[in-house]
Amino acid sequence: MTTLVIPVRDYDLAETLISGQAFRWTLHEDGWHGVIGSRIVILNSGNSSITAKTSSGDSGGSWLTEYLQAHLDLDEILSSFPDDPPMRAAVAACRGLRLLRQDPWECLASFILSSTKQIVQIRQIVSSLCDCFGERLSDAVCAFPSAERLAQASEPGLRACKMGFRAPYLLSAARCVSEGRLNLHTLGSLPLDEARAKLMTLKGVGRKIADCVLLFAYGYPAAFPVDVWVMKALRELYFPHRQRSAKQLRNFSETHFGPNAGYAQQYLFHYRRTRFSSFDSPMK
DNA sequence: GACCAGGCCGAGC
DNA sequence: GCTCGGCATGGT
């Protein structure tokens, strides 16, 4: 095991790791356990740094800085948000929340498995998928399975991981990627609209899942996933007295939140899901 | 036991 | 273009 110390400021590691963008981090007595690529990682946050114990022997930690986006100036991001009461409340409640920069295939596959699932369940399915099909990294830990590996799986084999009707979607995506019909390596150099359109050619990938991948894996700052929580947040916080269709809300989101709309979205999502739940019943 | 979950697809208007 | 039912499974 090697130890890396990464200086950070304004970084809430725990909130970031549980905020529903990545699904493999679990808290143990000695820190947050996870897997990044084929490396086992244990993270702890200190005053002005994040300490990582990792199974990799290589020096440097640029892969980890990249994953954590530790170099990013959060103040600059936050100051680009609109200065309105909902956004101020979300930032006050979740300050230090970050966006990770994840592996595209893992992110895409995970979010294909996410539709109409609670985050706890997505974590269970992903965990099961890794145990069944991922390369073994230690006695207890497996890597996220490659597209090539999953392309060899059978639909019943995938359904055994409790993913239900999502199994054919995942299988088809794995084949598409492994056969080169969708190139995830070059996707990130396309304009946002083109990259999104390519992702949406996959079965089971619509606008929302595509935007999650564009934001969490490729870092497109304007990608703005609208799920049920963000929909609730927009309706309750911005349009409490007027009915707005999903399309109207998306149009609003595309113009209102500025150049880092995706980041703002993650604050609204996390705020609505974890801090603002007392409003759950009468208005929906 | 009802309702819902980081949705999407296909059919029918 | 829009709405709606169906889809698997498990948490709350």
Side-chain angles (χ1 to χ4, degrees), chain A residues 16-61:
Chain A
T16 299
L17 297 181
I18 62 161
S19 67
Q21 42 180 325
F23 302 102
R24 296 203 68 196
W25 293 99
T26 54
L27 184 58
H28 295 244
E29 286 187 2
D30 60 342
W32 290 94
H33 289 209
V35 177
I36 302 173
S38 57
R39 298 175 171 98
I40 297 174
V41 183
I42 300 175
L43 297 177
N44 278 281
S45 64
N47 253 348
S48 55
S49 66
I50 292 173
T51 303
K53 288 185 175 19
T54 164
S55 57
S56 77
D58 59 348
S59 60

Side-chain angles (χ1 to χ4, degrees), chain A residues 3-23:
Chain A
T3 300
L4 299 166
V5 179
I6 298 175
V8 293
R9 45 187 292 269
D10 246 350
Y11 203 118
D12 192 327
L13 182 65
E15 293 294 306
T16 299
L17 297 181
I18 62 161
S19 67
Q21 42 180 325
F23 302 102

Side-chain angles (χ1 to χ4, degrees), chain A residues 152-185:
Chain A
Q152 306 297 321
S154 68
E155 189 180 314
L158 292 178
R159 280 183 189 263
C161 299
K162 307 298 183 186
M163 65 186 69
F165 62 84
R166 304 158 194 82
Y169 297 153
L170 180 60
L171 187 54
S172 148
R175 289 177 175 163
C176 230
V177 169
S178 67
E179 291 166 10
R181 281 178 283 141
L182 177 64
N183 188 337
L184 294 181
H185 300 297

Side-chain angles (χ1 to χ4, degrees), chain A residues 81-231:
Chain A
F81 291 175
D83 186 21
D84 59 32
M87 216 54 248
R88 282 200 295 271
V91 169
C94 310
R95 192 182 181 91
L97 178 63
R98 300 290 194 128
L99 290 181
L100 301 169
R101 186 67 59 89
Q102 301 178 59
D103 172 71
W105 167 246
E106 175 171 346
C107 188
L108 171 61
S110 297
F111 277 96
I112 286 174
L113 300 176
S114 76
S115 68
T116 51
K117 279 290 179 197
Q118 299 182 130
I119 289 174
V120 281
Q121 277 184 273
I122 303 167
R123 297 168 58 87
Q124 288 168 2
I125 296 170
V126 168
S127 170
S128 175
L129 184 71
C130 292
D131 289 342
C132 290
F133 298 100
E135 181 194 350
R136 188 156 291 284
L137 301 176
S138 77
D139 290 346
V141 183
C142 293
F144 192 92
S146 67
E148 290 71 22
R149 175 66 188 91
L150 290 181
Q152 306 297 321
S154 68
E155 189 180 314
L158 292 178
R159 280 183 189 263
C161 299
K162 307 298 183 186
M163 65 186 69
F165 62 84
R166 304 158 194 82
Y169 297 153
L170 180 60
L171 187 54
S172 148
R175 289 177 175 163
C176 230
V177 169
S178 67
E179 291 166 10
R181 281 178 283 141
L182 177 64
N183 188 337
L184 294 181
H185 300 297
T186 56
L187 193 74
S189 60
L190 299 174
L192 174 61
D193 289 344
E194 291 179 31
R196 179 188 290 131
K198 289 222 179 217
L199 287 172
M200 288 177 65
T201 61
L202 297 171
K203 300 275 290 181
V205 178
R207 170 72 182 243
K208 188 268 169 183
I209 291 176
D211 277 356
C212 283
V213 177
L214 295 170
L215 185 62
F216 301 143
Y218 292 99
Y220 284 89
F224 194 100
V226 178
D227 75 327
V228 292
W229 292 107
V230 173
M231 195 90 77

